């Protein structure tokens, strides 16, 4: 069982099944499907079932436009720690699609990337094996300010102040 | 110059605290080298052949005398008493101990300097024309825009793990002195017919193993849209740039693969979503930043320039220096003084701590305490009253800093090469020195005139050899260091990639080959033609004949 860190009040389930594309899933089992399987199935879950979608770095999150009904979580995958695309995917899900569910980081999730992930909209982190939970939590609080304007920055103020608006997420 | 406020200091201090913790985890073994590498790189720390190297940013090439003194202190306390100015307005220390680097960064932070993002696959130091604010041909001062970009790009959460490094340069003058054509993004400030400021945006220029001249992405971007547009470009690159092969990961490859039209369409689509976001710049934002770069309190010109004129008449050495190293200032009565770091017997771009302190003093006595760093690894004293040039010249001469070889053959750009760098496949410093020794006659150098000669010790092209009039690239051929020669490159407004003239030569044959190239040039030259113009007129045949005779 990977160590899981959640922020911003996210309440991650721990019994998600990350289903293979040919894996039979019981209807009442909380399950996370690949983007292609989710789209093939029509892109919407049945009411009352816990469903998630996982994206690989090359997947286009815009394909989820209008297909996030019933999606409780989107899992974004880091094949290695230098992978940068999931940061843009998370930002797109939050800022462009208004997704309010859980965005979970999986794969090469090391302590020192967490703050960047959090500022792009991730709120749940499955720590890579060997990453110490305390180190991860303290890495998350290494900064309390940022130069980039917050996603929900207000209008009317100068950019100079908006660039100093806070955490950015 | 830009002064940090409480916010800037707080962010930098938190960054140093974070890195101090990361270094401690590395030293205790909690972090392995693979996990530590991207962290140290984003704090300017390389692992070289012999030791760690720390690369410190000098944003848009601007240094105060106080900062230069601090660099001297750091060179003495933590290094071997010198620093090396690079080709992107950075200074590098070649011998720090890892355990000391957080303290070095803390001492730099006290004088508002940092090493954030000076390496790694992220947005690097923002570079600019070293004559910003003083050049006679300036449309607008690029520094306020550079600082706006610097802040936006610093620890940007979405763009901290790009496919590859990303370099941005800004020029605000009619003539490009910032090499904007060979940057991932090159920005030229323009004024439209209505007198409004805007930006000509170039994309996909770069050197390395696939040298490419940047292409126009947008002719005139309104001032207010600078950051939203950059964010759109970076987002497209982050998403579509290749990550499977580091040699094909720069934005130039993406732009070439898609074509500039398709790339521009992707940027446009993204930008339309962003254009009216919180990134839009208002007039107050720009005014606030401009206020950090006021014109100094220039004095009226001194009418008595008799000493200057007499010395120019009577002392050929002074006359040559005044002709070569002093540039016209937009302020009457002032000159811009180039300080060459290309001295015989010294690695190009190197400066000792005692020289840094001496130059800091001169910057205060003969100017407003400011020094500029050029991308040709030289320094500038930007605001020198003309009547004081004779005494400044005497002081610089005593410090061996009055070499009048600006823009001449011996003003060589050379990377550290195999003497220091883990990537290099050949040495560059000894080759540069051998060429400089061969061409140590100043009269001859001045007869040859404008000529750029750059030497890279490997295909990564840190010395920009492929945009030099004469480029030299060191490569390893079955265990032997050999040198390829290219001709016809240029990094200015007429940017061009040099062309190889034939098989590579062993190191000992390089100075004679350069001599042959120069002789061919002098034989073919018409009137006062520059080397590059002769080359463009006659092609490479006369040069080949001399080198491979």
């Amino acid at each position: 069982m990977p160590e899981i860190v959640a922020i911003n009040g996210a309440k991650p389930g721990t019994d998600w099944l990350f289903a293979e594309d040919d894996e039979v899933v019981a209807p009442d089992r909380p399950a996370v499907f690949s983007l292609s399987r989710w789209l093939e199935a029509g892109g919407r879950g049945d009411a009352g079932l816990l469903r998630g979608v996982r994206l690989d770095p090359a997947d286009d999150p815009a394909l989820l436009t209008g297909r996030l009904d019933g999606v409780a979580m989107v899992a974004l995958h880091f094949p290695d720690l230098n992978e940068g695309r999931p940061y843009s995917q998370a930002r797109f899900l939050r800022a462009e699609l208004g997704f309010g569910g859980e965005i979970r980081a999986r794969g090469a999730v090391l302590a020192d990337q967490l703050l960047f992930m959090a500022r792009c909209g991730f709120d749940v982190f499955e720590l890579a094996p060997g990453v110490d939970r305390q180190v991860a939590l303290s890495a998350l609080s290494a900064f309390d300010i940022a130069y980039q304007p917050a996603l929900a920055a207000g209008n009317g103020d100068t950019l100079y102040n908006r660039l100093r608006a806070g955490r950015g997420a | 110059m830009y002064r940090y406020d409480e916010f800037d200091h707080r962010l930098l201090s938190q960054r140093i605290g974070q890195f101090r913790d990361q270094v401690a985890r590395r030293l205790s073994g909690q972090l392995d080298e693979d996990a530590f590498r991207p962290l140290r790189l984003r704090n300017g720390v390389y692992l070289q052949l012999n030791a760690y190297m720390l690369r410190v940013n000098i944003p848009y090439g601007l240094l105060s005398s106080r900062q230069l003194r601090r660099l001297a202190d750091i060179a003495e306390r933590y290094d071997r008493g010198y620093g090396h100015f690079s080709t992107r307005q950075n200074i590098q220390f070649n011998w720090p101990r890892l355990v000391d680097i957080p303290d070095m960064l803390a001492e730099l932070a006290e004088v508002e300097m940092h090493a954030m993002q000076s390496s790694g696959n992220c947005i690097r130091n923002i570079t600019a024309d070293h004559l910003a604010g003083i050049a006679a041909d300036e449309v607008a001062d690029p520094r306020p825009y550079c600082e706006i970009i610097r802040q936006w790009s610093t620890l940007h959460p979405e763009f901290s793990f790009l496919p590859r490094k990303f370099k941005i340069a800004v020029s605000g003058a009619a003539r490009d002195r910032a090499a904007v054509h060979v940057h991932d993004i090159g920005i030229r400030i323009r004024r439209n017919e209505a007198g409004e400021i805007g930006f000509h945006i170039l994309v996909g220029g770069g050197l390395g193993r696939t040298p490419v001249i940047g292409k126009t992405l947008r002719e005139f971007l309104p001032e207010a849209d600078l950051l939203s547009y950059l964010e759109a470009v970076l987002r497209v690159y982050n998403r579509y740039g290749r990550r499977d092969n580091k040699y094909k990961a720069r934005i130039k490859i993406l732009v070439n693969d898609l074509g500039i039209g398709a790339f521009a369409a992707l940027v446009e689509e993204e930008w339309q979503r962003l254009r009216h976001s919180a990134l839009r710049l208002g007039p107050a934002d720009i005014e606030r930043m401009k206020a950090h770069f006021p014109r100094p309190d220039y004095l009226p010109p001194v009418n008595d320039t008799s000493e200057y004129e007499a010395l120019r008449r009577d002392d050929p050495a002074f006359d040559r220096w005044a002709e070569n190293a002093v540039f016209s200032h937009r302020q009457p009565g002032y000159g811009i003084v180039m300080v060459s770091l290309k001295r015989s017997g010294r690695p190009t771009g190197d400066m000792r701590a005692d020289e840094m302190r001496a130059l800091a003093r001169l910057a205060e006595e003969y100017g407003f305490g400011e020094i500029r760093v050029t991308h040709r690894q030289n320094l500038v004293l930007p605001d020198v009253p003309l009547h004081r040039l004779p005494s400044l010249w005497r002081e610089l001469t005593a410090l061996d800093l009055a070499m009048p070889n600006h823009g001449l053959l011996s003003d060589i750009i050379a990377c550290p090469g195999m003497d220091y760098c883990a990537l290099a496949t050949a040495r560059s410093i000894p080759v540069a020195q051998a060429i400089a020794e061969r061409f140590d006659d100043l009269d001859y150098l001045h007869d040859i005139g404008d000529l750029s000669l750059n030497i890279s010790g490997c295909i990564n092209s840190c010395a920009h050899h492929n945009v030099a009039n004469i480029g030299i690239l060191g490569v390893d051929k079955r265990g032997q260091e050999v040198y390829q020669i290219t001709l016809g490159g240029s990094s200015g407004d007429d940017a061009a990639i040099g062309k190889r003239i034939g098989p590579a030569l062993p190191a000992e044959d390089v100075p004679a080959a350069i001599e042959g190239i120069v002789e061919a040039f002098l034989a073919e030259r018409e009137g006062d033609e520059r080397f590059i113009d002769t080359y463009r007129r006659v092609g490479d045949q006369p040069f080949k004949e001399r080198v491979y005779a």
Side-chain angles (χ1 to χ4, degrees):
Chain A
M1 205 66 203
E3 185 84 57
I4 290 181
V5 167
I7 58 169
N8 301 339
K11 299 214 168 15
T14 52
D15 56 349
W16 287 104
L17 170 69
F18 285 83
E20 299 298 327
D21 279 352
D22 53 3
E23 189 171 351
V24 177
V25 177
D28 56 347
R29 178 80 159 88
V32 184
F33 300 108
S34 71
L35 177 64
S36 56
R37 183 167 176 179
W38 179 252
L39 295 178
E40 256 169 49
R44 56 179 302 125
D46 294 322
L49 295 184
L50 267 180
R51 291 291 177 248
V53 181
R54 62 172 195 270
L55 302 188
D56 282 328
D59 286 337
D60 181 0
L63 294 173
L64 287 171
T65 307
R67 298 179 191 280
L68 284 165
D69 279 357
V71 174
M73 80 105 104
V74 176
L76 303 178
H77 179 56
F78 289 83
D80 64 77
L81 73 141
N82 292 306
E83 178 57 65
R85 288 170 289 183
Y87 298 94
S88 286
Q89 291 173 327
R91 193 214 67 91
F92 184 87
L93 289 167
R94 293 283 189 231
E96 308 298 339
L97 300 187
F99 181 61
E102 170 186 333
I103 299 184
R104 180 182 292 217
R106 303 184 79 220
V109 180
L110 307 187
D112 297 287
Q113 298 138 271
L114 298 189
L115 196 50
F116 287 139
M117 293 179 186
R119 289 178 51 209
C120 287
F122 287 91
D123 53 4
V124 175
F125 311 96
E126 282 189 17
L127 302 181
V131 176
D132 183 273
R133 182 183 182 81
Q134 280 316 311
V135 172
L137 288 172
S138 85
L140 269 166
S141 58
F143 292 86
D144 58 13
I145 51 177
Y147 280 122
Q148 294 73 28
L151 288 179
N155 298 316
D157 203 354
T158 64
L159 178 83
Y160 187 83
N161 290 335
R162 293 201 299 279
L163 281 183
R164 289 159 166 69
R167 290 286 287 262
Chain B
M1 74 194 292
Y2 182 73
R3 295 309 311 263
Y4 283 16
D5 63 13
E6 205 179 310
F7 188 100
D8 301 303
H9 277 294
R10 182 180 175 90
L11 185 124
L12 183 50
S13 147
Q14 293 182 349
R15 176 62 162 184
I16 294 165
Q18 180 192 45
F19 189 55
R20 196 180 286 282
D21 173 62
Q22 291 164 346
V23 168
R25 280 187 277 138
R26 173 70 190 116
L27 292 172
S28 75
Q30 269 188 70
L31 276 178
D32 63 19
E33 172 56 20
D34 279 349
F36 183 58
R37 185 184 306 112
L39 307 177
R40 65 168 165 76
L41 287 175
R42 282 161 182 75
N43 287 282
V45 182
Y46 278 77
L47 191 50
Q48 297 278 55
L49 274 188
N50 307 297
Y52 285 100
M53 181 268 272
L54 176 65
R55 177 185 291 156
V56 177
N57 289 326
I58 301 168
Y60 31 96
L62 189 55
L63 268 180
S64 68
S65 51
R66 177 169 176 244
Q67 290 173 329
L68 188 55
R69 283 200 185 88
R70 181 57 58 94
L71 293 174
D73 294 345
I74 284 172
E76 277 178 350
R77 192 169 313 149
Y78 298 104
D79 207 285
R80 296 188 179 173
Y82 68 93
H84 174 81
F85 289 98
S86 82
T87 55
R88 285 201 81 255
Q89 299 177 326
N90 303 111
I91 184 168
Q92 299 179 172
F93 295 107
N94 281 306
W95 304 96
R97 297 188 309 157
L98 180 59
V99 66
D100 289 334
I101 290 177
D103 291 335
M104 296 170 78
L105 295 173
E107 291 186 27
L108 288 166
E110 287 173 4
V111 295
E112 306 181 2
M113 295 186 78
H114 68 83
M116 290 187 284
Q117 297 176 197
S118 64
S119 59
N121 295 336
C122 51
I123 302 171
R124 301 288 188 88
N125 188 35
I126 313 301
T127 58
D129 186 348
H130 49 269
L131 302 186
I134 52 175
D137 65 341
E138 192 159 272
V139 176
D141 189 341
R143 296 171 299 176
Y145 304 102
C146 288
E147 180 59 27
I148 287 171
I149 298 170
R150 185 192 75 84
Q151 295 189 13
W152 160 79
S153 63
T154 295
L155 306 185
H156 196 299
E158 194 181 338
F159 307 135
S160 286
F161 293 91
L162 296 170
R164 200 75 177 84
K165 57 189 170 185
F166 202 92
K167 299 176 180 177
I168 302 175
V170 188
S171 163
R175 189 174 148 214
D176 169 30
R177 285 173 290 261
V180 295
H181 292 91
V182 291
H183 276 77
D184 295 287
I185 290 181
I187 301 176
R188 303 202 70 170
I189 306 176
R190 300 278 194 223
R191 216 176 262 285
N192 66 9
E193 282 169 6
E196 296 158 336
I197 291 287
F199 309 101
H200 178 191
I201 308 285
L202 296 151
V203 70
L207 300 172
R209 64 188 62 210
T210 317
V212 183
I213 302 296
K215 298 173 180 67
T216 293
L217 184 60
R218 196 167 197 95
E219 288 284 351
F220 191 85
L221 179 76
E223 189 180 33
D225 298 318
L226 178 63
L227 290 186
S228 60
Y229 198 76
L230 291 179
E231 181 133 323
V233 175
L234 265 296
R235 187 161 294 146
V236 168
Y237 171 54
N238 189 44
R239 177 162 171 201
Y240 294 107
R242 280 181 66 171
R243 292 173 183 266
D244 57 328
N245 179 344
K246 70 180 273 198
Y247 300 116
K248 298 194 181 299
R250 294 288 287 270
I251 196 172
K252 62 191 172 189
I253 304 289
L254 177 64
V255 171
N256 277 357
D257 286 352
L258 290 174
I260 184 70
F263 179 83
L266 288 172
V267 170
E268 187 68 23
E269 186 190 342
E270 190 62 44
W271 183 50
Q272 290 307 332
R273 275 203 283 268
L274 279 173
R275 191 173 178 185
H276 301 289
S277 72
L279 288 171
R280 192 173 172 82
L281 295 167
D285 303 320
I286 292 159
E287 286 313 312
R288 189 196 290 254
M289 205 54 97
K290 280 184 178 165
H292 281 279
F293 303 91
R295 285 171 74 85
D297 296 323
Y298 293 116
L299 298 169
V302 169
N303 290 323
D304 179 13
T305 52
S306 53
E307 189 198 1
Y308 169 78
E309 279 151 25
L311 206 57
R312 280 204 76 162
R313 195 174 53 239
D314 301 337
D315 189 332
F318 176 74
D319 185 54
R320 175 174 286 148
W321 177 79
E323 178 70 32
N324 174 263
V326 182
F327 286 74
S328 64
H329 200 290
R330 73 176 189 193
Q331 179 71 18
Y334 283 80
I336 299 164
V337 173
M338 289 284 163
V339 177
S340 174
L341 294 183
K342 317 296 171 64
R343 284 88 56 85
S344 56
R346 300 277 301 274
T348 63
D350 274 16
M351 196 175 205
R352 288 195 314 265
D354 58 306
E355 295 170 324
M356 294 183 201
R357 291 198 185 94
L359 193 70
R361 175 180 64 78
L362 296 181
E364 287 163 359
E365 286 181 16
Y366 293 87
F368 301 95
E370 204 180 283
I371 302 99
R372 309 290 182 86
V373 182
T374 82
H375 81 90
R376 290 200 63 89
Q377 301 181 285
N378 292 314
L379 303 179
V380 177
L381 293 177
D383 302 295
V384 181
L386 291 175
H387 70 282
R388 303 202 63 204
L389 286 172
S391 76
L392 174 62
W393 173 68
R394 286 185 202 103
E395 299 224 43
L396 288 172
T397 302
L399 293 164
D400 189 23
L401 289 170
M403 182 78 165
N405 62 350
H406 178 76
L408 305 182
L409 188 149
S410 64
D411 188 3
I412 296 170
I413 298 182
C415 70
M418 215 160 67
D419 294 303
Y420 295 100
C421 178
L423 301 172
T425 48
R427 278 167 291 193
S428 24
I429 294 171
V431 176
Q433 285 176 339
I435 294 169
E437 273 166 34
R438 179 81 60 134
F439 290 90
D440 67 347
D441 179 342
L442 278 169
D443 288 325
Y444 189 46
L445 282 174
H446 282 260
D447 288 345
I448 298 165
D450 271 5
L451 199 165
S452 56
L453 190 157
N454 301 352
I455 306 176
S456 298
C458 80
I459 192 68
N460 290 304
S461 315
C462 292
H464 305 178
H465 69 276
N466 24 34
V467 288
N469 297 167
I470 301 177
I472 300 177
L473 167 64
V475 293
D476 176 278
K477 196 175 166 192
R478 290 186 289 277
Q480 205 203 350
E481 294 164 55
V482 294
Y483 295 83
Q484 298 173 355
I485 296 177
T486 55
L487 295 180
S490 170
S491 67
D493 295 305
D494 57 349
I497 304 295
K499 209 176 125 198
R500 238 176 101 177
I501 58 165
L505 305 168
E508 58 272 22
D509 293 349
V510 171
I514 303 306
E515 206 159 43
I517 289 167
V518 168
E519 283 165 7
F521 158 57
L522 294 175
E524 299 288 338
R525 184 187 215 172
E526 288 181 358
D528 283 339
E529 229 175 12
R530 297 179 308 160
F531 176 88
I532 185 73
D533 298 322
T534 303
Y535 171 85
R536 285 175 179 166
R537 184 169 52 75
V538 303
D540 55 11
Q541 198 54 36
F543 301 98
K544 281 184 181 171
E545 282 168 13
R546 296 270 182 156
V547 173
Y548 299 104

